[in-house]
Structure formats: C-alpha cells, structure tokens
Amino acid sequence: MINVDITLNEEGRVTDIVMDGHADFAEHGSDIVCAGASAVLFGSVNAILGLTSERPDIDYDDDGGYFHVRSVDTNNEQAQLIMQAMLISLQTIEDEYSDFIKLNLK
C-alpha cells in the first residue's frame, strides 16, 4: 500500500509530504495506482519548481517507493495552491482505490 503522510500547520497549509510504499495493484510497469499517485506528486513538485520561487527540500529513493518533500514556505500562495491541488488529486485516487493508497493528514 502507498501511504501518504501530509503535515499541515494550524492554518491548514502543507508543510511536509511523505509518500512511501507500493500500491501492488498490478505488477510493476502496469500499476495504474502507483503511476497515478507518482504522476500527481512529481507533476506537483515540478510545477512548484517551474512556476514559483519555492525550492523545497526533496529526498527520494532511486528505486522508487519513497519521496519526501519538505520546507515548503507556507506563505508562498502559489506553492500552497499547487500543494492543495495535489492533495485533491491524491484524495480522488484514494476514493477509487482505497485498498491501495491511504492519505494520512497530520
């Protein structure tokens, strides 16, 4: 299962995201849940890097299965909007495939 831990501050702004695990919906290369969640996360991070002045701290496992984004400025409105859009997209995947992906808001 993919676990996505999302840390929010008191105002509901995203400060930290950790995506960990594998969906195991299908074999590697055919797993639409993994591909969808990865595309949402990578696309969102690329949008933050390409469209804002924000440069978050990123850690990841070269073999897949782990991605951590932190140090996102909670006052950067553009970056926060992208992060909120990412959460909605991940929630949509979770709604359809809850046996394979779980979002944990902290």
Side-chain angles (χ1 to χ4, degrees), residues 4 38 47 49 70 91 95 97 101 103:
V4 184
S38 296
L49 292 171
R70 63 182 162 274
Q91 287 169 337
D95 288 347
Y97 299 98
I101 183 170
L103 273 63

Side-chain angles (χ1 to χ4, degrees), residues 5-40:
D5 295 328
I6 301 116
T7 305
L8 306 172
N9 70 6
E10 303 81 35
E11 292 85 35
R13 292 176 178 254
V14 178
T15 62
D16 194 79
I17 296 172
V18 177
M19 183 181 287
D20 192 26
H22 295 280
D24 295 323
F25 176 79
E27 66 182 70
H28 183 73
S30 300
D31 193 326
I32 62 170
V33 177
C34 186
S38 296
V40 167

Side-chain angles (χ1 to χ4, degrees), residues 5 12 38 56 63 66 77 79 81 88 95 102:
D5 295 328
S38 296
D63 295 331
Y66 178 79
E77 295 294 331
L81 182 60
I88 291 169
D95 288 347
K102 173 75 176 143

Side-chain angles (χ1 to χ4, degrees), residues 42 45-46 49 55-60 66-71:
F42 281 94
V45 170
N46 286 336
L49 292 171
R55 295 297 173 258
D57 186 18
I58 300 168
D59 286 324
Y60 59 91
Y66 178 79
F67 198 91
H68 187 179
V69 180
R70 63 182 162 274
S71 304

